[in-house]
Amino acid sequence: MFLQVALVIVFSSIIALYRAISGPTIYDRVLAVNVIGTKTVLVLVLVEFIYERPEFLDIALVYAIINFIGTIAFLKYIEKGGLT
Amino acid sequence: MDLVNVISYSLFAIGSFFLVVAAIGIVRLPDFYTRMHAAGKSDTLGQSLILLGLIIHEGASFISIKIFFIILFIFIANPTATHAVAKAAFLSELAPWKKDGGKER
């Protein structure tokens, strides 16, 4: 059951990848990459349940934080032209 | 199949439905500001439902506490990131889509 849910999530992130590749503005691409990143967190949690390896939960938690900070930093870079 | 499996599997099904609807909405909606509805609300709800199903399937343990923290962080961070994208797009004067405007962007 976990494997099927993970396959559905990967399928929906492939659909969102279309918008990340062919987005007309840069903000569409940032939004689609943010969505794909949070779906990756979900796949990492499901991998923990499929393979019975509890280390993947820590990776998922760290990846969620990195995804959020990356989105904010990228937007600040677009908006101000620098990160200082 | 007992009651715990029924509840968690139906939560998986509802969450997967919301995730697929969010992905289709990101591709199909005509404008950036309308695409944010799919990315901000439906996506967060689908992920939280799937993680809640995993908590119910696992029961009370250390793993479910960690998954609960992931849910809490996603509920705070995902709408905040969407709001930041919207603010940056609005400040850079990206015009919203009008119905008689014609083509999709």
Side-chain angles (χ1 to χ4, degrees), chain A residues 26-27 72-84, chain B residues 87-89 91-92:
Chain A
I26 190 78
Y27 303 106
I72 298 296
F74 197 67
L75 284 173
K76 192 174 175 185
Y77 183 72
I78 294 170
E79 197 172 333
K80 300 187 175 164
L83 283 179
T84 57
Chain B
K87 188 185 161 197
L91 286 181
S92 76

Side-chain angles (χ1 to χ4, degrees), chain B residues 47-69:
Chain B
Q47 285 162 1
S48 306
L49 283 178
I50 288 180
L51 290 177
L52 195 65
L54 286 175
I55 285 181
I56 292 174
H57 182 270
E58 176 68 26
S61 73
F62 193 61
I63 291 175
S64 52
I65 293 174
K66 278 184 186 174
I67 299 177
F68 176 73
F69 278 120

